[in-house]
Amino acid sequence: MEPGPGDLVAGIGFRHATAPAEILALVAQACDAAGLPRARVVRLATAGDRAGEPAIRAVAQTLGCPLEAVPPEALIAVDAAVATRSHRIEASRRVGSVAEAAALAAAGPGATLLLRRIASAGATCALALRAQSVTQEP
């Protein structure tokens, strides 16, 4: 399966004190790990209560893509598709990974988790593909 242009969503989880440069570096690392250019990321997504943080807003502006604030119920709704299980995050957010749940929820119904969350000291990033962006060889 190949992702189509413009259908990659980066889900981000982060601590309050995380600098934008750390999050940007993590997005670049995630794209490298998936073998895709950063230009393929067309949307950032994070937990609704973090979307107003200056760091994540600066990252969205730098990348030139919209930031989606994912409400708790939408994160929980996709938790069954989340591959990573953090006991700390499950206890506080009722999902295994904020980054994976945010990416999947923002990518919409039928989304595919392309890259499980990767982590830096203060952030996590996961990549998801929108369902209509996935093409299969005949």
Side-chain angles (χ1 to χ4, degrees):
M1 291 189 287
E2 292 282 326
D7 287 328
L8 195 60
V9 178
I12 308 293
F14 62 99
R15 293 186 175 118
H16 287 289
T18 307
E22 182 178 343
I23 299 170
L24 279 167
L26 194 59
V27 171
Q29 182 182 347
C31 289
D32 288 346
L36 297 169
R38 260 194 313 181
R40 284 304 230 343
V41 176
V42 296
R43 181 176 302 278
L44 290 183
T46 194
D49 64 325
R50 294 294 175 94
E53 296 274 337
I56 195 68
R57 295 179 68 76
V59 170
Q61 184 175 9
T62 299
L63 293 176
C65 59
L67 173 63
E68 184 165 336
V70 183
E73 57 275 6
L75 295 173
I76 293 166
V78 298
D79 186 53
V82 168
T84 304
R85 309 308 306 174
S86 164
H87 296 296
R88 182 178 65 79
I89 295 302
E90 280 184 313
S92 65
R93 300 248 181 203
R94 297 177 38 208
V95 297
S97 165
V98 169
E100 291 178 16
L104 287 165
T112 302
L113 187 62
L114 180 66
L115 182 73
R116 292 170 64 150
R117 78 163 170 108
I118 60 171
S120 64
T124 58
C125 178
L127 301 176
L129 289 173
R130 297 178 186 187
Q132 66 270 22
S133 70
V134 178
T135 59
Q136 297 181 353
E137 298 290 329

